[in-house]
Amino acid sequence: MSEHPAIDRTIYPMPMFATFQVRDIAATTAFYEAAGFVALATIPGENGPAVVHLRRMKYQDLLLVPGEPIAGSTTISFSAGGEDLATLASTLRAFPGVTITGPADTAWYTSDVTITDPDGNRVILTAPRLAELDEAKQWAATFEGDWAGKQ
């Protein structure tokens, strides 16, 4: 995996996060740690952890809670933050019960790896295709709307 900055371990008001129901919090935590997340906090419950708070980068937070997951009910996308997606995908394919798709190029000039954990939750790590940045800027100039950076 590529080197990435130290993970901000500050507990701050999160502007956005995903909550995944999982059957096995310990196994799912280990899987997401292999994907570059760290466990910031584990909140105890009656029969083991009630919540595990994971973070990959600032504002990339996941909460794992015990429960019966509904496969495919949650998908979240995060910036890859310079991660070598091919290497990460290769590493994560070694975990049983997971599905790793990609890296695959999208029509919107990114390369994505889709991670589906054993409970059916999906995390998409996305990175701009820097070699095609000029083409992406030309494409973006065709967008309608009032967004910052529009030429």
Short mmCIF file of all heavy atoms in Angstrom, two decimals, residues 101-142:
data_model
loop_
_atom_site.label_atom_id
_atom_site.label_comp_id
_atom_site.label_asym_id
_atom_site.label_seq_id
_atom_site.Cartn_x
_atom_site.Cartn_y
_atom_site.Cartn_z
N THR A 101 -14.06 -5.47 -6.57
CA THR A 101 -14.21 -5.21 -7.99
C THR A 101 -13.31 -4.02 -8.36
O THR A 101 -13.34 -3.00 -7.69
CB THR A 101 -15.67 -4.86 -8.33
OG1 THR A 101 -16.50 -5.90 -7.84
CG2 THR A 101 -15.86 -4.71 -9.82
N GLY A 102 -12.55 -4.19 -9.41
CA GLY A 102 -11.69 -3.10 -9.87
C GLY A 102 -10.27 -3.28 -9.42
O GLY A 102 -9.91 -4.33 -8.89
N PRO A 103 -9.47 -2.27 -9.68
CA PRO A 103 -9.85 -0.94 -10.11
C PRO A 103 -10.46 -0.94 -11.50
O PRO A 103 -10.04 -1.67 -12.38
CB PRO A 103 -8.55 -0.15 -10.11
CG PRO A 103 -7.48 -1.04 -9.56
CD PRO A 103 -8.03 -2.41 -9.47
N ALA A 104 -11.49 -0.11 -11.63
CA ALA A 104 -12.19 0.02 -12.90
C ALA A 104 -12.37 1.51 -13.19
O ALA A 104 -12.70 2.29 -12.30
CB ALA A 104 -13.55 -0.67 -12.81
N ASP A 105 -12.16 1.87 -14.44
CA ASP A 105 -12.35 3.25 -14.86
C ASP A 105 -13.83 3.55 -15.02
O ASP A 105 -14.60 2.70 -15.47
CB ASP A 105 -11.62 3.52 -16.17
CG ASP A 105 -10.11 3.51 -16.01
OD1 ASP A 105 -9.62 3.57 -14.86
OD2 ASP A 105 -9.41 3.46 -17.04
N THR A 106 -14.21 4.77 -14.64
CA THR A 106 -15.60 5.21 -14.79
C THR A 106 -15.69 6.21 -15.93
O THR A 106 -14.68 6.75 -16.40
CB THR A 106 -16.09 5.91 -13.50
OG1 THR A 106 -15.38 7.15 -13.35
CG2 THR A 106 -15.90 5.03 -12.27
N ALA A 107 -16.92 6.49 -16.35
CA ALA A 107 -17.15 7.49 -17.39
C ALA A 107 -16.87 8.90 -16.90
O ALA A 107 -16.73 9.81 -17.70
CB ALA A 107 -18.60 7.38 -17.87
N TRP A 108 -16.76 9.10 -15.58
CA TRP A 108 -16.54 10.44 -15.02
C TRP A 108 -15.07 10.64 -14.60
O TRP A 108 -14.78 11.39 -13.69
CB TRP A 108 -17.51 10.75 -13.89
CG TRP A 108 -17.68 9.66 -12.89
CD1 TRP A 108 -16.99 9.48 -11.72
CD2 TRP A 108 -18.60 8.57 -12.97
NE1 TRP A 108 -17.41 8.35 -11.08
CE2 TRP A 108 -18.41 7.76 -11.83
CE3 TRP A 108 -19.56 8.19 -13.90
CZ2 TRP A 108 -19.15 6.61 -11.60
CZ3 TRP A 108 -20.28 7.04 -13.66
CH2 TRP A 108 -20.07 6.28 -12.51
N TYR A 109 -14.16 9.92 -15.28
CA TYR A 109 -12.72 10.14 -15.16
C TYR A 109 -12.14 9.80 -13.78
O TYR A 109 -11.25 10.48 -13.28
CB TYR A 109 -12.33 11.57 -15.57
CG TYR A 109 -12.58 11.82 -17.04
CD1 TYR A 109 -13.78 12.37 -17.48
CD2 TYR A 109 -11.63 11.45 -17.97
CE1 TYR A 109 -14.03 12.57 -18.83
CE2 TYR A 109 -11.86 11.63 -19.33
CZ TYR A 109 -13.05 12.19 -19.75
OH TYR A 109 -13.28 12.38 -21.08
N THR A 110 -12.69 8.76 -13.17
CA THR A 110 -12.08 8.24 -11.95
C THR A 110 -11.77 6.77 -12.16
O THR A 110 -12.25 6.13 -13.09
CB THR A 110 -13.02 8.37 -10.73
OG1 THR A 110 -14.16 7.55 -10.90
CG2 THR A 110 -13.41 9.82 -10.47
N SER A 111 -10.97 6.24 -11.26
CA SER A 111 -10.73 4.81 -11.18
C SER A 111 -11.23 4.40 -9.80
O SER A 111 -10.89 5.03 -8.79
CB SER A 111 -9.24 4.51 -11.33
OG SER A 111 -9.03 3.12 -11.35
N ASP A 112 -12.06 3.36 -9.75
CA ASP A 112 -12.72 2.96 -8.50
C ASP A 112 -12.44 1.51 -8.15
O ASP A 112 -12.38 0.65 -9.04
CB ASP A 112 -14.24 3.12 -8.61
CG ASP A 112 -14.71 4.56 -8.78
OD1 ASP A 112 -13.87 5.48 -8.74
OD2 ASP A 112 -15.92 4.75 -8.93
N VAL A 113 -12.32 1.26 -6.85
CA VAL A 113 -12.33 -0.10 -6.32
C VAL A 113 -13.57 -0.20 -5.45
O VAL A 113 -13.79 0.63 -4.56
CB VAL A 113 -11.06 -0.41 -5.48
CG1 VAL A 113 -11.24 -1.69 -4.68
CG2 VAL A 113 -9.85 -0.50 -6.38
N THR A 114 -14.39 -1.20 -5.72
CA THR A 114 -15.59 -1.44 -4.92
C THR A 114 -15.31 -2.62 -4.00
O THR A 114 -14.96 -3.71 -4.45
CB THR A 114 -16.81 -1.73 -5.80
OG1 THR A 114 -17.02 -0.61 -6.66
CG2 THR A 114 -18.05 -1.97 -4.96
N ILE A 115 -15.46 -2.36 -2.71
CA ILE A 115 -15.22 -3.35 -1.66
C ILE A 115 -16.58 -3.76 -1.11
O ILE A 115 -17.32 -2.90 -0.62
CB ILE A 115 -14.36 -2.74 -0.53
CG1 ILE A 115 -13.02 -2.25 -1.07
CG2 ILE A 115 -14.20 -3.70 0.62
CD1 ILE A 115 -12.29 -1.30 -0.13
N THR A 116 -16.91 -5.04 -1.20
CA THR A 116 -18.14 -5.53 -0.58
C THR A 116 -17.73 -6.48 0.53
O THR A 116 -17.09 -7.50 0.29
CB THR A 116 -19.04 -6.26 -1.61
OG1 THR A 116 -19.28 -5.37 -2.71
CG2 THR A 116 -20.35 -6.67 -0.98
N ASP A 117 -18.06 -6.08 1.77
CA ASP A 117 -17.64 -6.88 2.92
C ASP A 117 -18.52 -8.12 3.06
O ASP A 117 -19.50 -8.28 2.32
CB ASP A 117 -17.57 -6.02 4.19
CG ASP A 117 -18.93 -5.61 4.76
OD1 ASP A 117 -19.96 -6.24 4.45
OD2 ASP A 117 -18.95 -4.63 5.53
N PRO A 118 -18.20 -9.03 3.99
CA PRO A 118 -18.98 -10.27 4.12
C PRO A 118 -20.46 -10.05 4.46
O PRO A 118 -21.27 -10.94 4.26
CB PRO A 118 -18.26 -11.01 5.25
CG PRO A 118 -16.87 -10.52 5.21
CD PRO A 118 -17.00 -9.06 4.83
N ASP A 119 -20.82 -8.85 4.94
CA ASP A 119 -22.20 -8.56 5.28
C ASP A 119 -22.94 -7.85 4.15
O ASP A 119 -24.10 -7.49 4.31
CB ASP A 119 -22.26 -7.73 6.56
CG ASP A 119 -21.76 -8.52 7.75
OD1 ASP A 119 -22.34 -9.58 8.04
OD2 ASP A 119 -20.76 -8.10 8.37
N GLY A 120 -22.27 -7.64 3.02
CA GLY A 120 -22.92 -7.02 1.87
C GLY A 120 -22.86 -5.51 1.84
O GLY A 120 -23.45 -4.88 0.96
N ASN A 121 -22.14 -4.89 2.79
CA ASN A 121 -21.95 -3.44 2.78
C ASN A 121 -20.88 -3.11 1.75
O ASN A 121 -19.91 -3.84 1.60
CB ASN A 121 -21.51 -2.94 4.15
CG ASN A 121 -22.52 -3.26 5.22
OD1 ASN A 121 -23.65 -2.83 5.16
ND2 ASN A 121 -22.11 -4.04 6.20
N ARG A 122 -21.06 -1.97 1.05
CA ARG A 122 -20.11 -1.59 0.00
C ARG A 122 -19.43 -0.27 0.33
O ARG A 122 -20.09 0.70 0.72
CB ARG A 122 -20.82 -1.46 -1.34
CG ARG A 122 -21.26 -2.79 -1.92
CD ARG A 122 -21.91 -2.58 -3.28
NE ARG A 122 -23.04 -1.67 -3.20
CZ ARG A 122 -24.31 -2.05 -3.11
NH1 ARG A 122 -24.63 -3.32 -3.09
NH2 ARG A 122 -25.27 -1.16 -3.05
N VAL A 123 -18.10 -0.26 0.12
CA VAL A 123 -17.29 0.95 0.19
C VAL A 123 -16.62 1.09 -1.17
O VAL A 123 -15.99 0.15 -1.64
CB VAL A 123 -16.23 0.89 1.31
CG1 VAL A 123 -15.31 2.09 1.25
CG2 VAL A 123 -16.90 0.80 2.68
N ILE A 124 -16.77 2.25 -1.78
CA ILE A 124 -16.09 2.53 -3.03
C ILE A 124 -14.98 3.52 -2.75
O ILE A 124 -15.23 4.60 -2.18
CB ILE A 124 -17.07 3.10 -4.08
CG1 ILE A 124 -18.18 2.09 -4.38
CG2 ILE A 124 -16.31 3.49 -5.36
CD1 ILE A 124 -19.31 2.63 -5.23
N LEU A 125 -13.76 3.15 -3.10
CA LEU A 125 -12.63 4.06 -3.02
C LEU A 125 -12.38 4.58 -4.42
O LEU A 125 -12.24 3.80 -5.37
CB LEU A 125 -11.39 3.36 -2.46
CG LEU A 125 -11.53 2.86 -1.03
CD1 LEU A 125 -10.27 2.14 -0.59
CD2 LEU A 125 -11.84 4.01 -0.08
N THR A 126 -12.35 5.89 -4.58
CA THR A 126 -12.30 6.51 -5.89
C THR A 126 -11.12 7.47 -6.00
O THR A 126 -10.80 8.15 -5.03
CB THR A 126 -13.64 7.22 -6.21
OG1 THR A 126 -13.62 7.70 -7.54
CG2 THR A 126 -13.95 8.34 -5.24
N ALA A 127 -10.49 7.48 -7.17
CA ALA A 127 -9.34 8.35 -7.41
C ALA A 127 -9.46 8.96 -8.80
O ALA A 127 -9.89 8.28 -9.74
CB ALA A 127 -8.05 7.56 -7.30
N PRO A 128 -9.08 10.24 -8.94
CA PRO A 128 -9.11 10.83 -10.28
C PRO A 128 -8.05 10.18 -11.17
O PRO A 128 -7.00 9.77 -10.69
CB PRO A 128 -8.77 12.30 -10.02
CG PRO A 128 -8.02 12.30 -8.73
CD PRO A 128 -8.56 11.14 -7.94
N ARG A 129 -8.36 10.08 -12.45
CA ARG A 129 -7.37 9.58 -13.41
C ARG A 129 -6.54 10.78 -13.86
O ARG A 129 -6.92 11.51 -14.77
CB ARG A 129 -8.07 8.88 -14.58
CG ARG A 129 -8.81 7.64 -14.12
CD ARG A 129 -9.23 6.71 -15.24
NE ARG A 129 -9.79 7.32 -16.42
CZ ARG A 129 -11.11 7.33 -16.73
NH1 ARG A 129 -11.99 6.78 -15.91
NH2 ARG A 129 -11.53 7.87 -17.85
N LEU A 130 -5.44 11.00 -13.18
CA LEU A 130 -4.64 12.19 -13.38
C LEU A 130 -4.10 12.32 -14.80
O LEU A 130 -3.93 13.44 -15.30
CB LEU A 130 -3.50 12.24 -12.36
CG LEU A 130 -3.97 12.31 -10.90
CD1 LEU A 130 -2.78 12.27 -9.95
CD2 LEU A 130 -4.82 13.55 -10.67
N ALA A 131 -3.83 11.22 -15.47
CA ALA A 131 -3.32 11.26 -16.84
C ALA A 131 -4.35 11.84 -17.81
O ALA A 131 -3.99 12.29 -18.89
CB ALA A 131 -2.89 9.87 -17.29
N GLU A 132 -5.62 11.86 -17.39
CA GLU A 132 -6.69 12.36 -18.25
C GLU A 132 -7.31 13.64 -17.69
O GLU A 132 -8.45 13.98 -18.01
CB GLU A 132 -7.75 11.28 -18.42
CG GLU A 132 -7.22 10.02 -19.08
CD GLU A 132 -8.24 8.91 -19.04
OE1 GLU A 132 -9.21 8.98 -19.81
OE2 GLU A 132 -8.05 7.98 -18.24
N LEU A 133 -6.56 14.37 -16.88
CA LEU A 133 -7.08 15.55 -16.20
C LEU A 133 -7.57 16.61 -17.18
O LEU A 133 -8.62 17.21 -16.98
CB LEU A 133 -6.03 16.13 -15.26
CG LEU A 133 -6.50 17.16 -14.26
CD1 LEU A 133 -7.66 16.63 -13.42
CD2 LEU A 133 -5.35 17.58 -13.35
N ASP A 134 -6.84 16.85 -18.26
CA ASP A 134 -7.28 17.85 -19.24
C ASP A 134 -8.61 17.46 -19.88
O ASP A 134 -9.50 18.29 -20.05
CB ASP A 134 -6.21 18.07 -20.31
CG ASP A 134 -4.98 18.80 -19.77
OD1 ASP A 134 -5.12 19.50 -18.74
OD2 ASP A 134 -3.90 18.67 -20.36
N GLU A 135 -8.75 16.19 -20.24
CA GLU A 135 -10.01 15.71 -20.81
C GLU A 135 -11.15 15.85 -19.80
O GLU A 135 -12.26 16.24 -20.16
CB GLU A 135 -9.89 14.25 -21.23
CG GLU A 135 -8.98 14.01 -22.42
CD GLU A 135 -8.77 12.53 -22.66
OE1 GLU A 135 -9.77 11.77 -22.69
OE2 GLU A 135 -7.60 12.13 -22.82
N ALA A 136 -10.86 15.55 -18.54
CA ALA A 136 -11.88 15.65 -17.49
C ALA A 136 -12.33 17.10 -17.32
O ALA A 136 -13.52 17.36 -17.13
CB ALA A 136 -11.33 15.10 -16.17
N LYS A 137 -11.40 18.04 -17.40
CA LYS A 137 -11.76 19.46 -17.28
C LYS A 137 -12.65 19.89 -18.45
O LYS A 137 -13.61 20.64 -18.25
CB LYS A 137 -10.50 20.32 -17.21
CG LYS A 137 -9.78 20.23 -15.89
CD LYS A 137 -8.53 21.09 -15.88
CE LYS A 137 -7.79 20.96 -14.56
NZ LYS A 137 -6.56 21.78 -14.54
N GLN A 138 -12.33 19.44 -19.66
CA GLN A 138 -13.16 19.77 -20.82
C GLN A 138 -14.57 19.18 -20.65
O GLN A 138 -15.57 19.83 -20.94
CB GLN A 138 -12.52 19.24 -22.11
CG GLN A 138 -11.26 19.98 -22.49
CD GLN A 138 -10.55 19.33 -23.68
OE1 GLN A 138 -11.00 18.32 -24.21
NE2 GLN A 138 -9.44 19.93 -24.09
N TRP A 139 -14.63 17.95 -20.16
CA TRP A 139 -15.91 17.29 -19.92
C TRP A 139 -16.71 18.06 -18.86
O TRP A 139 -17.89 18.31 -19.02
CB TRP A 139 -15.64 15.86 -19.51
CG TRP A 139 -16.82 15.06 -19.08
CD1 TRP A 139 -17.85 14.62 -19.86
CD2 TRP A 139 -17.09 14.60 -17.76
NE1 TRP A 139 -18.73 13.90 -19.11
CE2 TRP A 139 -18.29 13.87 -17.81
CE3 TRP A 139 -16.44 14.71 -16.54
CZ2 TRP A 139 -18.85 13.27 -16.69
CZ3 TRP A 139 -17.00 14.11 -15.42
CH2 TRP A 139 -18.20 13.41 -15.51
N ALA A 140 -16.02 18.47 -17.78
CA ALA A 140 -16.70 19.18 -16.69
C ALA A 140 -17.25 20.53 -17.15
O ALA A 140 -18.25 21.01 -16.62
CB ALA A 140 -15.75 19.37 -15.51
N ALA A 141 -16.61 21.13 -18.14
CA ALA A 141 -17.09 22.42 -18.66
C ALA A 141 -18.47 22.29 -19.31
O ALA A 141 -19.16 23.29 -19.50
CB ALA A 141 -16.08 22.99 -19.64
N THR A 142 -18.90 21.08 -19.63
CA THR A 142 -20.22 20.87 -20.24
C THR A 142 -21.33 20.74 -19.20
O THR A 142 -22.50 20.69 -19.56
CB THR A 142 -20.22 19.61 -21.13
OG1 THR A 142 -20.08 18.44 -20.30
CG2 THR A 142 -19.10 19.65 -22.16
#
